[in-house]
Amino acid sequence: MGAIPGAHDELKRLARALREQMVELITDLTPGSDLRLLFLDEPSIVDWHEPLWYQYSSGFDGKRPAGVGAADVASRAAALLRSAGWEVATSQETAGGNPRLVVSGRREGNEIDVRAGDHLAIVWFSARTPKMALYEPQEFEWPQPVCTPETVAAGSVLCYECDGLGWCPCCGGRSWVSSEAHGRKNCPLCYRERVCPICRGRGGLYISELSPYQRGFYAEQLSEDRDT
């Protein structure tokens, strides 16, 4: 797959800006937090449709200082984000039957949420960059068969399932097939094993090992072999 020019650099830039803002919020709202636990190092695939879409994301839990209420945390978080040029919205949600305040910030497609409730001395931080495609879509090329009628081993026949391909004839050895809903889903034939479930990658089957059921696929061919 060819990289989309500038896409990696732009997503990394957004991730750096996101991390810097997270560090400022965590340091201010939950002082003493171990920032080594803030991971925002590698993007993950968040949409498996072609082209694949990538996103950096992170979550962090910090301890609310004693004597500081959830409303104070939310007010301070909103002020910090606004001063840094973020669009800010405040809302309330219920988690486990307990209300908590949510401060949401958005800037250049980056998103940060800060959650705090008086029922727990925890402040929850979550952050994500925009989703971006990093690679050009590439049409899948089916692999060459591992054996053909001319190269199949003596005493063997081409596998009736894959016709000599060796790889799974459903997914072509990718372990997945396309899905309209999710982009990709596990191959329903090989269940991610990639090879043909009948010949296990050989492309051929030994005639002497065929079951009566399997011989039915080759009845005409085996009959011709006996006649000759």
Side-chain angles (χ1 to χ4, degrees), residues 23 42 80 110 123 138:
V23 168
E42 295 294 336
L80 288 170
N110 279 344
V123 179
Q138 185 174 7

Side-chain angles (χ1 to χ4, degrees), residues 88-101:
V88 179
T90 302
S91 59
Q92 183 170 310
E93 65 182 15
T94 301
N98 298 297
R100 62 184 183 186
L101 295 170

Side-chain angles (χ1 to χ4, degrees), residues 7-44:
H8 280 89
D9 291 341
E10 175 62 8
L11 193 57
K12 287 180 180 178
R13 182 189 71 80
L14 291 169
R16 286 194 298 269
L18 187 64
R19 192 181 196 284
E20 289 172 3
Q21 187 61 64
M22 283 283 281
V23 168
E24 179 182 352
L25 287 169
I26 293 167
T27 301
D28 190 286
L29 301 176
T30 57
S33 294
D34 187 352
L35 292 173
R36 292 174 300 178
L37 301 178
L38 174 61
F39 301 108
L40 200 70
D41 302 323
E42 295 294 336
S44 348

Side-chain angles (χ1 to χ4, degrees), residues 49-66:
H49 292 87
E50 292 289 345
L52 303 181
W53 290 74
Y54 293 77
Q55 181 183 59
Y56 286 87
S57 62
S58 182
F60 189 93
D61 297 344
K63 186 175 181 181
R64 179 161 46 89

Side-chain angles (χ1 to χ4, degrees), residues 62 64 68 70 98-100 116-124:
R64 179 161 46 89
V68 177
N98 298 297
R100 62 184 183 186
D118 286 322
H119 61 292
L120 286 176
I122 298 293
V123 179
W124 295 270

